Amino acid sequence: MPNDFFGHDEVSKRVQNRREVQCAVFLRDLLDDAQRPSPFTDKQKHANFLATVAALAKDLSSTKFGASLLRVVGVIYEEQALKHLGFRNSAPAGLGLHNIAKSARKVVSKYRVVASYISAFQSVVKAAEVNYHEMKAQDNRMKDGDTSSRSGEQEQLLHQTFGSVLEIGWHCIVSDVEATIRGACFKLLKDSAVSTLQRDRRAKNLLIMGEIFQASGQPPEAGLAEILNKLLQFKQSMKPPQHTSAA
């Protein structure tokens, strides 16, 4: 469960603040690099910045799960950049419509965590019930000399349970990532050590990063499917080999 789901204690607050600072420093170095004095023209520096962000996005999206998280990060970057720029970027941003969308995302995220817990619990209960009846049925078949195993429904429920547990993990990760990035962006865009103009430039570059990350990302279903397939492959590899008797 992410620390910010029901509240922070003092230790977790310090840990979270340290994570936000580290993230903010990384973003500062990346976003400000395009504005530092150099022999390149502004157009060349902008092109270099785009190439750097594109390479970073490609690296982070090398797996489907990474690409799914990258999309989440991109959404928050865009959200925070538009919040800072306001009317300087667009009328919807100036009217605070993105803040409404942010609040809706936070509510939906917490709802999905709870829904995933309920779904996982229901899957486990159903799997236990099916397993109990299957064991009784198998005992009866063995009494009749039938040693075959019919576990199709059990396998299906196992897959469903895996999927529900993965959803819990996914929504908790997303909630944690969103909270950390929002905190980092707040520090980055409220940095009083630089001018208002510099903070606006950061926000514009952050908006570009968000757009590139979202374009390189994938929906959460793709990432969850990748992890589920790996779990099922691992489960399959743990099965004992089938020995066939010589005729």
Side-chain angles (χ1 to χ4, degrees), residues 4-6 26 46-47 56 73 78 91-92 104 120-121 124 137-138 156-157 161 172 180 189 206 215 221 223 241-242:
D4 68 322
F5 194 74
F6 291 116
F26 170 79
H46 183 68
L56 179 61
V73 173
E78 181 183 53
F121 176 75
V124 169
Q138 189 168 354
Q156 183 180 0
L157 283 169
T161 303
C172 288
T180 301
L189 300 176
L206 189 66
E221 293 79 12
Q242 298 291 332

Side-chain angles (χ1 to χ4, degrees), residues 65 71 158 162 173:
F65 186 79
R71 186 176 180 180
L158 180 62
F162 275 166
I173 289 171

Side-chain angles (χ1 to χ4, degrees), residues 151-219:
S151 57
E153 188 176 2
Q154 288 175 298
E155 287 292 322
Q156 183 180 0
L157 283 169
L158 180 62
H159 294 182
Q160 184 178 343
T161 303
F162 275 166
S164 298
V165 172
L166 282 176
E167 277 191 44
I168 293 173
W170 167 258
H171 293 308
C172 288
I173 289 171
V174 167
S175 181
D176 185 57
V177 168
E178 287 182 348
T180 301
I181 293 177
R182 285 193 179 105
C185 290
F186 178 84
K187 290 175 171 61
L188 181 76
L189 300 176
K190 297 295 183 182
D191 183 5
S192 60
V194 297
S195 66
T196 301
L197 179 61
Q198 181 67 15
R199 291 195 294 271
D200 288 349
R201 287 173 177 170
R202 286 179 178 177
K204 290 176 182 177
N205 286 337
L206 189 66
L207 181 59
I208 293 171
M209 278 189 70
E211 292 170 349
I212 293 175
F213 278 16
Q214 289 181 75
S216 302
Q218 293 198 30

